[in-house]
Amino acid sequence: MVKGRRRAGSPLWAKAPFALVQYPGLLAAVVVGALLLSLVAAAFPLFLSRSESELLRAEIANPTVGRFGAGLFYSVTNVGFGEPVREGDDRLLTEALDEAFGRIAARGPHLGSPIRFVSGATAQVTLPDGTSPESGRVEGTIFSGTEAEDQVRVVSGGAEDGALVPDLIADALEVEPGDTIRLDGKLDLRVAGTYEALYSQPRSGYWSPWSEQIYPQCFDCPAPPQYILVGPEEAISLSRALREGDQQDVDHGWVAPVTGMPLDADEAREVRAYTERVTARAAERGTRLGRLFQCCGQTFGGSFFFGRRDVEFRSGMPSVLRSVERRAAAVEGPLRLLLIAGLGVAGAVVAAAAAFAVAGRRTEAALLHARGWGPVRFAARSAVESAIPIALGAAVGLAAAWVLIAWLGPPAPAAAAAQAASVTAAAAAAAASLAILGVVTAVSFIRAFEVHALKRRLAWVPWELLVIAGALWVLSRLRAGGAVIEDPALDISRPSSLLLAFPVLLVAGFAILGARLLVAMLRRAGSGLGRSSPAPYLAVHRLTGLPGLTVLLMGASALCLGVFVNGQTMVGSLRATVDAKAGVFVGADVQVSIDYAAPEQERFPLPITRATRLKYAGELLPSGTPFDILGVDAATIADAAYWDDSFADRSLEDLAAGLASDSGPLPAVLVQGGGEPTAIRTAQAEIPIEVVGRADAFPGVSSDDPVVVVDAHSLEERVDVQGNPFHSPNARTEYWIAGDPQEALAAVADLEAYPLGTLTLEEVKDVPFIKAAIETFSMLNVLGLGAALLVVGVLVVYLQARQRARAVSNILSLRMGMRVAQARLALALELGAILISSFVIGASLGLVAGRLVAPLLDPLQTIPPAPLFDAPLGVLVWTAIGLVVVAAVGAWLVQRRASAVDLGEVLRVAE
């Protein structure tokens, strides 16, 4: 008997690898489930690595770093022209250093050919006849650097056959290419070209090692002697002639810049590890390398002239990577939670496909059970059947992860290790899919054909209530201060993983509960619907026929849509909050600090206004409350300053119009203050005021203290110089400029006032915590994209599980007089009810979760306004339209397929 049974079962095993081809719905569900699981697992290491690489690119692009500063740098001062390496070695020290540094650069990973710098003597520059400019003494420093001529803005001429002279010298002496200048009254030098002096240009990584010699070290300090660029040998010979002696000194430097930009994070770590090893070896005085480089700091010895030598051997890569790792750490924790959530949601699709496999193939499963098959054997056969579809889905998921991350992720390369980890994760996801399918299939087989006490014991447990309780517990933790956690190791604040756990738990719990209540309501309303039209009755009958299946589908769909809407809500709210706070802090798109005594700006190509702010200006009377004061230009502030309608119940134009007054109490707008102040008391004066408006936030406000906003001109009309609080040394005067930041920064040179510093909106928003929070919730959008696929996948499983029953009911309905249009309408109502109900439940819960969490994320707590809430109305409308279209197209496809099924064949198989 057993042998016969085995022989009967053998063909099933032989056909198993391709058996799912006969069940396209179930096949599609298995493939989609494995695809999603693989996509989520494979995307995580790629996204994290590309995020690190993008942060690395931004850090290296910093003008004070550049690819030169991120490489390996060595400099030594006071190296004599004729100083030997040591006794018995005829080579000069500079030659030995040049050779040794070249070997170090050649052996290092991702390091280019060395760039050599020579900084020589500083000399007075005159015309050949000794004439100096009327403006006073002009000095220049002899300098040579590999590719230096490519790192300056040449005004005229070139670098061939002579020197490149800065325009600071050329304009003062009125010389041009081809003319001659004299150094210290004894050396003539031909001018081959002129370039824009470096001190007036933005800093760059190439010149960063010499920034102290190039740029003024204070606002009113004169520009240091600028570089006269010549060749390396000429720099040494000129310095020797100017100092008259073989033993006179010169400073040398070598840089090995990083190559192969952009680097990924792993390549940058290779550079860091190599440079740290080299500098550590060079610091060991007992090694040959240490004796040659004499690293680091100040060394003593040599002759009378060279008793002190400053040595520096370093790389900017360690500090660059530390900054990258601080930012990446702020994102990695929440990303891991997203990974877990994504794996759980995608695994649910595979589990659903396995659970419905028995329902969709009940006749075949019953036959195998009658032959003596048990749950383990049935699960093993299902695993064999699903092996090829799962492998296919995992491969497509891996490819989709690479494409989506390349399209939607950071525009930077992923490290090779991350790519390998992505492939490994996809393979592990395929194995997990197979394991989940086998286990759930076995459980479903037991539930369908074997009495199991576990089912009865756990059927009463209200699982959704436990999930809701978990969500409320997480919310209590968030409100108790758990929204932000501190990482003392990296000295950063980062969003807590609870911020992402809460919306998932809240939506999951209430979505299942809402789905159960909706199915119960449909059951009660089903009998009354049959009197009006057969289509609604048939749709309700199908939805309530298998309530567990309907609840599962609606709950899964609501979870996916709720997570997506919550991600959109949090990203929009956080961006709106950050934009508002940055706009308030900066004042406009660009802020330029100036001196209070600077002249008024009559003309400027962009909207501009002037403001002065002073913290702790005095007291409000009669309450005695401390306040800050902000003086604005009432005539121009509305055109240039940042404003959001949520700041006040009146427009900025209306508030500004009430500030200008030459008589009576000083008009003022009170920001963040209560009461009815009648005057302000400063250090030197007491000034009556009239509050003409109130606001919760205002441009230029940078604290949570009360702020009095006045028109600066109106204030000056009422006080003398000594009573003017804006004459305080602690006051800060600024121009606020509206418009494109790059255009505004380029136009700063047109200002009448000397710019003391600049600040843009993007610079304020480039804070690790802010970027981490935005990127964290942005990943919910990627998960939401997968959720859209998940809804389709779950819908496919649903249709597969009910396919045979639907075919019979559709055909019988048509044979009994129901029109095709009514049958299609019934299907559309069924699918539409599931999708729209899931959308309403999920979207509502996603918005509620966002409303509860958004106030807990205040990235700049001392700067108004309070966190804003931004509901993604456009996303909601387009999502609803898309779901209606999916329901209509799905109904048409299912009805078309059901109509083509032969009734006799369906009934024969059903028996």
Side-chain angles (χ1 to χ4, degrees):
M1 186 67 180
V2 175
K3 292 182 179 179
R5 188 175 297 165
R6 288 180 179 175
R7 285 195 298 270
S10 297
L12 293 175
W13 287 103
K15 297 177 180 178
F18 304 100
L20 290 188
V21 176
Q22 303 174 25
Y23 304 92
L26 183 58
L27 174 64
V30 171
V31 172
V32 169
L35 185 154
L36 288 174
L37 201 62
S38 173
L39 187 153
V40 173
F44 174 75
L46 290 177
F47 185 88
L48 188 59
S49 179
R50 290 173 71 99
S51 296
E52 288 183 333
S53 298
E54 174 64 13
L55 292 171
L56 176 69
R57 182 202 61 76
E59 288 293 327
I60 293 179
N62 187 313
T64 62
V65 180
R67 67 185 189 94
F68 303 96
L72 190 62
F73 171 72
Y74 173 75
S75 70
V76 56
T77 65
N78 301 327
V79 177
F81 300 124
E83 186 175 352
V85 177
R86 57 181 178 274
E87 288 188 32
D89 193 333
D90 295 335
R91 293 179 302 163
L92 297 180
L93 178 58
T94 54
E95 296 174 352
L97 289 172
D98 192 56
E99 294 174 6
F101 192 87
R103 288 193 300 268
I104 290 172
R107 294 171 184 167
H110 315 293
L111 295 179
S113 299
I115 293 175
R116 181 183 178 188
F117 298 93
V118 178
S119 181
T122 297
Q124 181 181 1
V125 185
T126 64
L127 294 174
D129 59 4
T131 303
S132 297
E134 295 181 359
S135 57
R137 181 185 177 98
V138 177
E139 291 185 327
T141 299
I142 303 299
F143 188 88
S144 171
T146 310
E147 303 176 3
E149 65 276 6
D150 298 328
Q151 304 298 325
V152 296
R153 297 181 181 179
V154 177
V155 177
S156 60
E160 296 81 10
D161 193 23
L164 265 179
V165 177
D167 55 5
L168 183 66
I169 296 176
D171 293 345
L173 297 176
E174 298 182 354
V175 295
E176 298 177 349
D179 294 340
T180 301
I181 58 176
R182 179 163 293 179
L183 307 179
D184 276 355
K186 54 186 173 182
L187 288 179
D188 289 343
L189 185 64
R190 182 178 182 273
V191 177
T194 62
Y195 71 93
E196 294 184 11
L198 294 172
Y199 82 97
S200 63
Q201 302 301 310
R203 304 193 180 210
S204 70
Y206 182 91
W207 298 105
S208 60
W210 316 103
S211 59
E212 293 183 0
Q213 289 77 29
I214 296 173
Y215 304 100
Q217 299 304 301
C218 64
F219 164 65
D220 54 354
C221 294
Q226 296 296 287
Y227 288 151
I228 300 173
L229 303 181
V230 296
E233 301 304 326
E234 191 173 9
I236 294 176
S237 63
L238 287 172
S239 296
R240 294 178 68 178
L242 289 171
R243 293 297 176 260
E244 298 180 350
D246 291 339
Q247 293 296 317
Q248 296 305 319
D249 60 287
V250 67
D251 298 344
H252 284 266
W254 290 265
V255 173
V258 292
T259 58
M261 296 293 293
L263 296 178
D264 61 50
D266 285 355
E267 291 171 338
R269 291 186 178 97
E270 292 176 5
V271 174
R272 178 178 63 180
Y274 178 76
T275 56
E276 288 178 344
R277 287 198 307 270
V278 169
T279 53
R281 286 178 54 203
E284 297 176 2
R285 298 301 178 90
T287 64
R288 183 181 62 83
L289 198 65
R291 289 191 297 270
L292 177 62
F293 285 96
Q294 298 184 0
C295 180
C296 291
Q298 297 177 358
T299 60
F300 298 87
S303 66
F304 174 81
F305 296 99
F306 310 103
R308 176 172 175 172
R309 175 179 297 152
D310 294 326
V311 180
E312 189 175 10
F313 207 160
R314 61 173 171 79
S315 171
M317 190 61 79
S319 61
V320 165
L321 276 174
R322 175 169 174 78
S323 177
V324 169
E325 289 165 354
R326 290 178 70 242
R327 296 191 178 195
V331 181
E332 184 175 0
L335 278 183
R336 289 194 181 277
L337 178 65
L338 284 174
L339 172 66
I340 295 171
L343 291 176
V345 171
V349 179
V350 180
F356 299 147
V358 177
R361 304 166 64 185
R362 188 176 183 85
T363 302
E364 181 182 341
L367 174 62
L368 295 177
H369 179 259
R371 289 181 175 181
W373 282 50
V376 175
R377 193 177 182 189
F378 186 79
R381 180 175 180 271
S382 297
V384 174
E385 291 176 346
S386 305
I388 295 178
I390 284 177
L392 177 63
V396 175
L398 174 64
W402 285 53
V403 172
L404 284 174
I405 295 300
W407 178 34
L408 301 175
Q419 297 175 5
S422 177
V423 175
T424 302
S433 299
L434 205 58
I436 293 172
L437 188 139
V439 171
V440 177
T441 299
V443 173
S444 299
F445 189 87
I446 293 172
R447 290 170 60 90
F449 301 107
E450 299 180 7
V451 178
H452 201 274
L454 186 63
K455 176 182 178 182
R456 293 195 302 270
R457 292 174 184 172
L458 299 180
W460 64 272
V461 178
W463 298 107
E464 61 272 19
L465 296 183
L466 297 179
V467 176
I468 292 172
L472 296 178
W473 176 81
V474 171
L475 179 61
S476 67
R477 290 284 308 275
L478 290 174
R479 288 186 169 177
V484 179
I485 57 177
E486 302 292 334
D487 189 337
L490 294 173
D491 190 26
I492 59 172
S493 299
R494 61 185 179 188
S496 169
S497 298
L498 296 178
L499 289 170
L500 296 175
F502 172 69
V504 173
L505 292 174
L506 183 75
V507 174
F510 280 102
I512 296 294
L513 181 61
R516 290 190 190 278
L517 295 176
L518 184 60
V519 170
M521 293 172 57
L522 289 175
R523 273 186 164 179
R524 291 189 175 185
S527 58
L529 293 174
R531 301 189 185 98
S532 59
S533 172
Y537 174 81
L538 185 58
V540 172
H541 176 72
R542 290 169 177 166
L543 288 171
T544 57
L546 292 176
L549 184 64
T550 302
V551 169
L552 180 61
L553 175 59
M554 291 180 61
S557 300
L559 174 61
C560 300
L561 295 169
V563 169
F564 173 66
V565 171
N566 178 257
Q568 293 283 338
T569 302
M570 289 303 301
V571 170
S573 299
L574 196 55
R575 287 190 186 278
T577 300
V578 171
D579 288 343
K581 287 177 175 287
V584 166
F585 183 78
V586 177
D589 295 302
V590 175
Q591 173 195 115
V592 181
S593 299
I594 60 173
D595 187 81
Y596 183 75
E600 296 293 332
Q601 186 70 28
E602 299 294 338
R603 296 181 181 179
F604 197 73
L606 295 172
I608 187 172
T609 190
R610 177 170 170 159
T612 303
R613 44 181 148 181
L614 174 64
K615 296 180 67 65
Y616 312 117
E619 297 178 344
L620 295 174
L621 299 178
S623 65
T625 304
F627 74 97
D628 301 344
I629 191 169
L630 174 67
V632 301
D633 182 358
T636 59
I637 186 173
D639 295 330
Y642 175 86
W643 186 255
D644 188 280
D645 291 338
S646 64
F647 292 173
D649 55 4
R650 296 165 57 188
S651 67
L652 182 59
E653 290 84 353
D654 289 343
L655 293 174
L659 291 177
S661 172
D662 293 336
S663 60
L666 177 66
V669 172
L670 185 60
V671 183
Q672 304 176 147
E676 297 295 335
T678 58
I680 57 175
R681 178 190 294 139
T682 65
Q684 302 294 334
E686 184 174 312
I687 308 169
I689 65 170
E690 178 186 1
V691 177
V692 296
R694 296 177 183 266
D696 297 325
F698 201 89
V701 175
S702 57
S703 74
D704 52 5
D705 295 322
V707 180
V708 174
V709 182
V710 299
D711 177 61
H713 177 74
S714 298
L715 175 65
E716 292 172 352
E717 290 293 319
R718 289 167 170 79
V719 296
D720 55 21
V721 174
Q722 291 184 347
N724 189 345
F726 296 137
H727 282 174
S728 168
N730 296 323
R732 178 185 174 96
T733 304
E734 303 154 350
Y735 279 131
W736 298 343
I737 305 173
D740 179 74
Q742 297 302 322
E743 183 180 354
L745 292 174
V748 166
D750 297 335
L751 291 174
E752 297 293 336
Y754 185 85
L756 302 178
T758 60
L759 183 67
T760 67
L761 282 177
E762 295 303 319
E763 290 173 343
V764 174
K765 291 188 285 187
D766 188 25
V767 175
F769 170 77
I770 295 175
K771 294 180 73 67
I774 292 177
E775 290 171 0
T776 296
F777 287 99
S778 294
M779 275 302 296
L780 277 177
N781 294 332
V782 178
L783 187 60
L785 190 60
L789 293 175
L790 174 62
V791 172
V792 176
V794 174
L795 190 62
V796 169
V797 174
Y798 173 81
L799 295 176
Q800 169 63 28
R802 294 190 173 183
Q803 179 179 1
R804 197 170 305 280
R806 181 175 290 111
V808 174
S809 64
N810 280 352
I811 294 173
L812 289 177
S813 299
L814 292 173
R815 297 291 175 87
M816 296 174 67
M818 177 179 279
R819 295 189 299 273
V820 174
Q822 289 178 321
R824 187 179 298 119
L825 178 59
L827 283 169
L829 290 175
E830 178 185 2
L831 298 179
I834 292 174
L835 293 177
I836 298 301
S837 298
S838 300
F839 172 69
V840 171
I841 295 173
S844 300
L845 292 170
L847 290 173
V848 169
R851 186 67 177 178
L852 292 173
V853 171
L856 304 178
L857 269 180
D858 194 344
L860 299 169
Q861 297 182 7
T862 61
I863 300 176
L868 304 178
F869 177 75
D870 185 19
L873 299 179
V875 173
L876 295 176
V877 171
W878 284 109
T879 303
I881 294 174
L883 292 176
V884 172
V885 172
V886 169
V889 173
W892 180 78
L893 292 174
V894 173
Q895 178 59 38
R896 180 180 179 184
R897 182 177 180 185
S899 301
V901 176
D902 181 71
L903 177 61
E905 178 65 20
V906 171
L907 293 176
R908 183 186 68 77
V909 175
E911 293 176 354

